[in-house]
Amino acid sequence: MVRVSRARMAVTAAAIGALTGGVLVARQVSSPGYGFESAPRAERPECEKAASRYPDRLAGQRLTFTGRPGVAVWGDDAIVLRCGLTPPAPTVDPCANVNGVDWVFLEDRSKDGKKVVLTYGRTPAVEAVVSDKVAAMDAVLVDLSKLVEPIKKYTRCLNSEDV
């Protein structure tokens, strides 16, 4: 009979636990949309309806479901969509109307080669983070506007011509 000391068993168990934990962390870091959590209102009916209409491809990128409500990813995190956010307050950030949907360009959050846009005047709000790997930002907003359009609009962006 082989006797193993408690100290050796504890060290072995700790090593196995660390190895398993490292594998799980590495797998999570490489999962689509890593770092993007579901928004607080992601399970609202409006977000569920939008999710049922996600296109299989967006800007040539294939859709990947993340398993997190209200979060969709196209490509290798080229486009990440989150539904269920709190609508933004009035802002001086640039705003564009794309097929009836107002999008605010969040300049302070757009960095590291990613542009962040958020719907304006709709509850819940929808955010898109678009990598600079995607050349056709306008086309992305056209397609995303089709998803967002059914969410009830309660106000709109104003620009310098409206004032």
Side-chain angles (χ1 to χ4, degrees):
M1 178 174 194
V2 177
R3 301 192 101 194
V4 179
S5 70
R6 288 182 188 227
R8 188 170 185 184
M9 285 180 19
V11 168
T12 302
I16 291 171
L19 181 61
T20 303
V23 169
L24 292 175
V25 168
R27 186 173 182 193
Q28 183 181 28
V29 169
S30 65
S31 69
Y34 172 74
F36 290 91
E37 298 300 322
S38 293
R41 299 177 186 159
E43 296 189 25
R44 296 241 336 234
E46 297 91 337
C47 293
E48 290 177 4
K49 184 175 182 180
S52 72
R53 301 174 60 213
Y54 291 155
D56 291 333
R57 290 192 163 278
L58 189 57
Q61 307 291 321
R62 185 178 304 275
L63 173 65
T64 302
F65 288 97
T66 64
R68 293 182 297 275
V71 179
V73 176
W74 286 268
D76 186 22
D77 290 351
I79 304 164
V80 179
L81 180 89
R82 292 192 321 144
C83 182
L85 294 154
T86 301
T91 180
V92 295
D93 285 332
C95 184
N97 183 288
V98 180
N99 295 339
V101 176
D102 291 331
W103 294 93
V104 175
F105 291 83
L106 303 177
E107 294 176 326
D108 62 326
R109 292 188 44 214
S110 296
K111 54 188 167 197
D112 299 326
K114 296 181 179 179
K115 295 175 187 79
V116 181
V117 294
L118 182 66
T119 57
Y120 187 86
R122 294 173 190 270
T123 300
V126 177
E127 172 190 77
V129 179
V130 182
S131 168
D132 61 1
K133 297 178 212 172
V134 176
M137 178 74 168
D138 294 344
V140 168
L141 289 180
V142 166
D143 288 343
L144 291 180
S145 291
K146 293 174 190 172
L147 291 175
V148 172
E149 193 273 329
I151 298 175
K152 186 176 179 183
K153 180 178 178 177
Y154 65 88
T155 191
R156 65 184 183 96
C157 288
L158 298 177
N159 59 40
S160 59
E161 290 114 33
D162 295 324
V163 182

